[in-house]
Amino acid sequence: FGSSSFGLEQDCRLCSPQSRSPPMALKAASMPLGGLSAAGTGARGGGALVQPLPRSLARPLAPPQRMWQRQQQQGSRSTWAAVGSVAAFCTAGSSSAAACKEKRPKSITVYYGDLPFWRAECVRMSLFIGGVAFDDKRDQKRDELKAEGKLAFGATPVMEVDGKMLSQTQAMAAFAGRLSGLYPGDDAWLAAKVDEAINGCTDITTTISGTMRLPADDKVKAREALIAPEGRLTMHLGGLERLISENGHPGFVVGSSITVADLAIWRLVGWVSSGVIDGIPMDYVAKTFPQIQGLCEQVDAHPKVQEWKAKYDKFYGKK
């Protein structure tokens, strides 16, 4: 999983085929739109209460399918491209569409295992959504990559771009997002907010991974403390919740269209809510963080995300 696997190799089942996207049955309709609600109790997990967001930051969640229908009406022959400071549609055949492809590398290879963990998945999916060709290498072992000098920090995922190596999740996500149009182009502030969200995902991963090496009997207690009202995981997820609320466009970290940060959060929540992390109830995120849940529903409704899920049905198919 990267960075010495963050100890996650101890729980290799976390990204098994049983891991899946956020439970879509847990709809935002069950949550108050005026702010955060109380987390429901789950197996081994107690309820977690957090303070509601200020009313000025809480906004209703728009129906995902309606948003995509509006966007698709702008033209069926559209692809994503970075135009100005936010991701926007770039009509195929236009000069701006040509500019999107002009700076693309000749070859890109993403190295990671055959797992849907967010660190690699947000990079892969960003390239896929943007129509950027890449080689998705899932079968090369870490020892082989290390022997070839491709692991500058000793961890995966990594990218090889025209023979040069790039590592670290935030750097790869930003690079893939720029190529695909899922990263703010000319707005330094919006770019920083995307980076902030991705680094927030890393914080959440690090917090959970700190419990992986604990004895089995201690893991659940430690994780229950993390999801408590003042728990560290509640704090980290609350940070992502606030970023989405402050954006002003429900369902997105920045702007009014999908970015690589949204993909990262969507997949991260898919892992946290998969039910394979003992002590963290499957409905913890959905019931406690309505803005995050709304973002996950927006991302899940994206036609290219649906296409990706169908392609990798073994990870995303209904169980």
Side-chain angles (χ1 to χ4, degrees), residues 97-110:
C100 293
K101 299 180 180 180
E102 186 177 7
K103 296 182 180 180
R104 289 182 177 178
K106 295 180 180 179
S107 66
I108 300 175
T109 302
V110 178

Side-chain angles (χ1 to χ4, degrees), residues 46-51 224-235 284 288-289:
L49 295 174
V50 294
Q51 293 298 319
E224 288 176 348
L226 292 178
I227 66 173
E230 302 300 326
R232 189 167 182 80
L233 187 57
T234 299
M235 176 191 69
Y284 163 62
T288 314
F289 304 100

Side-chain angles (χ1 to χ4, degrees), residues 219-279:
K219 286 183 179 181
V220 172
K221 292 181 180 180
R223 291 165 184 167
E224 288 176 348
L226 292 178
I227 66 173
E230 302 300 326
R232 189 167 182 80
L233 187 57
T234 299
M235 176 191 69
H236 287 319
L237 286 165
L240 294 180
E241 180 85 353
R242 183 169 292 275
L243 289 180
I244 301 165
S245 297
E246 291 177 342
N247 175 41
H249 292 279
F252 305 104
V253 170
V254 300
S256 58
S257 56
I258 194 170
T259 66
V260 66
D262 302 318
L263 294 173
I265 293 173
W266 172 77
R267 192 57 221 131
L268 172 75
V269 172
W271 170 55
V272 173
S273 302
S274 63
V276 299
I277 310 177
D278 294 337

Side-chain angles (χ1 to χ4, degrees), residues 23-206:
M24 301 311 294
L26 300 171
K27 297 297 184 181
S30 64
M31 316 165 210
L33 297 179
L36 303 184
S37 63
T41 57
R44 304 184 183 177
L49 295 174
V50 294
Q51 293 298 319
L53 289 169
R55 186 172 299 275
S56 61
L57 295 181
R59 290 177 169 83
L61 304 177
Q65 293 293 350
R66 187 183 303 168
M67 294 193 70
W68 293 123
Q69 288 171 0
R70 286 202 302 266
Q71 292 171 340
Q72 287 177 313
Q73 288 173 359
Q74 298 181 30
S76 59
R77 298 180 63 237
S78 297
T79 55
W80 287 95
V83 180
S85 61
V86 295
F89 279 110
C90 182
T91 305
S94 68
S95 58
S96 54
C100 293
K101 299 180 180 180
E102 186 177 7
K103 296 182 180 180
R104 289 182 177 178
K106 295 180 180 179
S107 66
I108 300 175
T109 302
V110 178
Y111 296 97
Y112 194 66
D114 190 22
L115 302 167
F117 199 58
W118 75 270
R119 289 186 179 279
E121 202 75 337
C122 71
V123 174
R124 293 164 172 161
M125 292 181 68
S126 180
L127 296 173
F128 175 77
I129 291 173
V132 180
F134 72 102
D135 187 6
D136 190 358
K137 293 281 289 186
R138 298 175 178 235
D139 58 355
Q140 192 158 356
K141 296 181 179 180
R142 185 182 304 178
D143 290 342
E144 296 174 350
L145 293 171
K146 188 174 182 180
E148 294 173 7
K150 293 182 177 180
L151 301 184
F153 294 90
T156 56
V158 293
M159 297 177 72
E160 187 169 7
V161 182
D162 289 343
K164 297 178 288 186
M165 300 305 302
L166 181 66
S167 58
Q168 299 296 341
T169 303
Q170 189 275 323
M172 291 184 293
F175 180 73
R178 286 182 182 278
L179 293 179
S180 62
L182 302 188
Y183 188 87
D186 300 325
D187 192 308
W189 174 255
L190 294 182
K193 299 304 285 186
V194 168
D195 296 345
E196 181 181 12
I198 293 172
N199 287 329
C201 292
T202 295
D203 285 345
I204 291 167
T205 305
T206 304

